[in-house]
Amino acid sequence: MNAEMQITTRHLPPDEPGVAAAAGILRSGGLVAFPTETVYGLGADATNVHAVAALYAAKGRPRFNPLIAHVADSGAALRLGRFTPDALRLAEVFWPGPLTLVVPVGEDCPVAELARAGLPTLAIRVPDHPVAHAILAAAQRPIVAPSANRSGHVSPSDARHVMDDLGGRIDAIVDGGPARIGVESTIVGCLGARATLLRSGGIPRARIERVLGHPLATPAPDDDRPRAPGRLASHYAPRQPLRLDAGRVEPGEACLGFGLPLPPGAEAGLSLNLSERGDLSEAAANLYRHLRRLDSLTTRGIAVATIPAAGLGEAIRDRLARAAAPKGDSAEDGHGHSLQI
Ligand code: TXA
Ligand code: MG
């Protein structure tokens, strides 16, 4: 598909005929957005290099940024890569669920090299969502599914966001309502001696460390691994500047709150609260919807209240920090967890 060509994007219901249609389109090389428990994914047949190329074009995603292969169950996942004991343990406890494991690619892995951006490793995930599961089971092959946004934009947590970003560029969207978790999967690299946290996400770090019995490593900023795996900081670039950990809201600013009371000054302008009761799961589920909404307004900027770093707060703070980073800053951030969102 030519990236500039407009096509008609079909809306499919999340029922049996919708799932069958979605799987049929995927099997014939088309692009279908579908719900997962984290965010909406844009699916393509991982074994079809033309479909994978069309996916990169539709998202405007640089081809050096590899994709996650999604499969219906752990059995299918284990056939794609070589799992260390740590990887096996994490797969057993957290799949299906919001965890992506990066492992050395298996010998007969059918995933197109383009989907891995040429790396000797593969990111694999088994989503925990009935519609995603049904589509993957019917497709009967790994499906690459990056978040269904234009590259550099914030991830979509409902079908409307997907339509705003990719309508006219993809074949279909399966509408399964709002995403339950709202931030992307946690990505853990299981390549060497010690499992490494590559991206914070839907499963808090502490739960993973409890299962492993030891802390997750943080990638060294200057290690010599390929730069491809999202080591470039690519930020959702809101039109409005974001001010984090704001103790008060300045005149003309909108407010993204967490808990009550809102920071002083919020009463004067528009404010949205991630969670009035200060619940981090609720905040994650609201994050991208509220960011999109506030960014559509004309304000001087967005003051963001302090979000605690515990549990899901680590992922929420990570995404907000990227959204707040200066526009056009595409340098490596040196902290090792600067995967593209
Ligand atoms: O929750 C999620 O993970 C969603 C849903 C749709 O499943 N998907 C998602 O995909 O967030 P994407 O493409 O937006 O983010 C995947 C991240 C990228 O930062 C990419 O660089 C990294 O995973 N990645 C993929 N393959 C990798 C590899 N072999 N090594 C290291 N990082 C990898
Ligand atoms: Mg993404």
Side-chain angles (χ1 to χ4, degrees), residues 235-236 238 242-245 256 274 287-288 291 302 304-307 313-325 341:
H235 306 109
Y236 162 55
L242 238 68
R243 207 158 56 76
L244 304 185
D245 295 309
L256 182 62
L274 289 169
L287 177 67
Y288 291 137
L291 269 180
I302 303 168
V304 183
T306 298
I307 320 276
E314 184 177 3
I316 298 172
R317 290 185 63 88
D318 170 74
R319 306 307 189 271
L320 286 168
R322 284 174 225 237
I341 58 175

Side-chain angles (χ1 to χ4, degrees), residues 173-184:
I173 301 177
V174 182
D175 188 344
R180 177 165 59 84
I181 294 178
V183 291
E184 301 85 344

Side-chain angles (χ1 to χ4, degrees), residues 38-39 153-157 161 182-184 236 274 283-294 315 319-320 341:
T38 56
V39 297
H153 287 196
V154 70
S155 292
S157 52
H161 302 161
V183 291
E184 301 85 344
Y236 162 55
L274 289 169
N286 285 329
L287 177 67
Y288 291 137
R289 189 163 47 90
H290 283 5
L291 269 180
R292 279 180 188 253
R293 172 95 176 86
L294 290 178
R319 306 307 189 271
L320 286 168
I341 58 175

